Amino acid sequence: MKNVIITSFILALVLSSCADKSQAPASPPPPVLPVAAITTENTTTDNEYPASIQGTVDVEIRPQVSGNLDRVLVDEGAYVSKGQSLFKINERPYREQFNNALASLHAYEAALINAQLEVDKLTPLVQNKVVSDYQLKTAKASEKIAYANIEQAKAMVASARINLGYTNVTAPVSGYIGRLPKKQGSLVSATDIEALTTLSDVHEVFVYFSLGETDFINFKSQYAGNSLGDKIKHLPPVTLILADNNAYSQTGKIDMVDGQFDKTTGAITLRATFPNKNGTLRSGNTGKIRLGINHDDAILVPQSATIEMQDKIFVFILGKANKVNKTPITVIGKSGTNYLIKDGVQSGDQIVLSGVDKLQEGQVIQPEKSATKVAQIINKK
């Protein structure tokens, strides 16, 4: 009886084991993921450089004479035209100086008339030997002194007139007024540290940005021309990215390259000019210059086909037996939604285009051939 029980128990275990094996789920099939071969193309990458914006003319408005500020004729931020009055300095002292200079001129003119009369009187007397020649020479010397006094008086009148004109401070160019630190009634002087205001002509603006030595060498090698001036003529338009990361509505033109590198920063300054008819841009704005660099036979990889881990960027290359290899790549720029690759992959390699965030090294996949090329022409020349 005991042997029968043991035999039945063993038989039950065997049957249970067979039942478990028959109920075990099958292994999931490998994931189907899109794969494409890498090719080389000619493309353009956009590099961005911090930039500062200035008006074509940024000028400080300073008084040329001292006095009380009688009137402030403009408001902060106002647009003014060339020649428009901005400030009025008390003119009464300078009006009196002008009147005194004018009176002195009239007195010297009268003295000249007297000297001429004396010469006219003595000339016939000397000819008739009534008086000595010495008296006539003295009279002619006095006449010359009178002429000199008149010229000096005219200069004093002109100087007084200039100072009187300086009491009316006008705009040297058309543009926008800055802050007004001096208010009506303030005492102003030509030696003041602080200007009355600043005036910016921003119908066009200058945008300054800098290139490092390597970028500048690459920049020069991109364009035709024997000299730097010739290369500037062949440069394509550049884009200004504003502080809100939106592109300015109009493109600009690079028209100046500094004569030397900054020894402190190791960079060279370039200038681009942008139209600004509506006054959207103002002096002191900041942004970024987006500069296109051409690349021949470049390898581009979609950003969506990459994964970033520990400051490194990886792609999954399809290997033998449909196993994927996690491979680091060196990115040297961006072109649209693609990375420009220096090292890590080469033309002909097949990479997984999507779903890479769930893949593991050595995992088997079922490749789905994609009709889309990995390396696409962006702004192809």
Side-chain angles (χ1 to χ4, degrees):
M1 185 66 181
K2 184 176 180 180
N3 292 336
V4 173
I5 294 173
I6 293 174
T7 303
S8 300
F9 179 72
I10 294 173
L11 181 61
L13 289 176
V14 172
L15 293 175
S16 175
S17 176
C18 293
D20 290 341
K21 289 183 180 180
S22 64
Q23 294 176 5
S27 299
V32 179
L33 295 176
V35 172
I38 292 177
T39 59
T40 58
E41 303 286 352
N42 297 333
T43 189
T44 300
T45 58
D46 292 328
N47 293 339
E48 295 182 351
Y49 302 92
S52 60
I53 300 172
Q54 294 181 13
T56 52
V57 176
D58 284 332
V59 60
E60 290 183 337
I61 306 299
R62 292 183 175 273
Q64 299 297 306
V65 293
S66 301
N68 289 320
L69 199 59
D70 275 355
R71 284 178 290 169
V72 179
L73 304 174
V74 292
D75 198 3
E76 294 176 335
Y79 180 83
V80 296
S81 301
K82 182 179 180 180
Q84 181 177 335
S85 295
L86 307 178
F87 304 93
K88 185 65 177 177
I89 299 173
N90 183 12
E91 70 170 29
R92 284 175 293 178
Y94 302 99
R95 177 69 66 181
E96 292 304 317
Q97 290 177 11
F98 174 73
N99 291 337
N100 286 335
L102 200 60
S104 297
L105 174 62
H106 294 329
Y108 287 127
E109 288 174 342
L112 174 62
I113 293 173
N114 286 332
Q116 289 173 336
L117 290 174
E118 187 69 14
V119 170
D120 292 343
K121 182 183 73 172
L122 292 175
T123 298
L125 295 177
V126 171
Q127 290 175 351
N128 295 323
K129 299 182 178 180
V130 176
V131 296
S132 68
D133 183 55
Y134 175 79
Q135 290 178 303
L136 179 59
K137 289 180 179 180
T138 301
K140 288 182 177 181
S142 297
E143 183 184 32
K144 289 182 178 180
I145 292 173
Y147 273 117
N149 288 336
I150 287 177
E151 294 301 319
Q152 185 178 29
K154 286 181 178 179
M156 296 298 293
V157 169
S159 178
R161 182 180 285 112
I162 291 172
N163 287 336
L164 181 61
Y166 281 152
T167 62
N168 181 32
V169 182
T170 60
V173 295
S174 299
Y176 290 92
I177 294 292
R179 291 184 61 246
L180 301 174
K182 303 286 187 179
K183 306 302 179 184
Q184 184 174 341
S186 299
L187 181 63
V188 298
S189 170
T191 59
D192 288 345
I193 297 176
E194 192 171 28
L196 292 174
T197 188
T198 55
L199 179 61
S200 297
D201 179 5
V202 291
H203 75 282
E204 285 186 332
V205 294
F206 293 146
V207 180
Y208 293 91
F209 64 102
S210 298
L211 297 181
E213 192 170 354
T214 301
D215 285 345
F216 185 63
I217 292 173
N218 293 335
F219 172 79
K220 290 196 300 181
S221 65
Q222 292 289 318
Y223 305 102
N226 296 324
S227 66
L228 190 56
D230 290 339
K231 292 178 182 294
I232 289 177
K233 295 178 182 179
H234 293 89
L235 295 179
V238 293
T239 302
L240 174 63
I241 306 300
L242 301 178
D244 60 358
N245 289 324
N246 290 322
Y248 180 55
S249 58
Q250 301 187 64
T251 57
K253 177 69 175 176
I254 295 175
D255 55 10
M256 187 280 294
V257 178
D258 201 351
Q260 59 184 6
F261 280 83
D262 188 308
K263 294 181 180 179
T264 304
T265 62
I268 193 168
T269 299
L270 287 77
R271 184 186 73 191
T273 301
F274 285 79
N276 189 37
K277 184 177 180 180
N278 296 327
T280 303
L281 304 176
R282 298 293 180 94
S283 290
N285 279 156
T286 58
K288 291 180 287 188
I289 285 290
R290 180 176 290 168
L291 185 64
I293 303 295
N294 297 327
H295 300 273
D296 296 331
D297 296 329
I299 294 177
L300 296 177
V301 170
Q303 296 181 39
S304 59
T306 65
I307 185 170
E308 186 172 352
M309 296 180 63
Q310 298 179 350
D311 298 329
K312 292 184 178 181
I313 299 177
F314 298 86
V315 295
F316 283 91
I317 298 178
L318 186 65
K320 295 180 179 180
N322 291 336
K323 289 184 178 181
V324 294
N325 300 315
K326 189 177 180 181
T327 304
I329 56 175
T330 302
V331 176
I332 58 173
K334 292 182 180 179
S335 178
T337 59
N338 297 330
Y339 282 134
L340 180 65
I341 308 304
K342 179 181 180 181
D343 295 312
V345 292
Q346 58 186 357
S347 179
D349 288 343
Q350 296 189 79
I351 64 169
V352 180
L353 297 181
S354 63
V356 293
D357 55 330
K358 298 179 181 179
L359 285 179
Q360 301 293 329
E361 169 69 23
Q363 184 176 346
V364 176
I365 68 167
Q366 182 178 342
E368 179 184 23
K369 299 297 182 180
S370 173
T372 304
K373 292 183 178 179
V374 174
Q376 300 181 17
I377 302 176
I378 307 297
N379 299 328
K380 184 175 181 181
K381 295 205 54 85

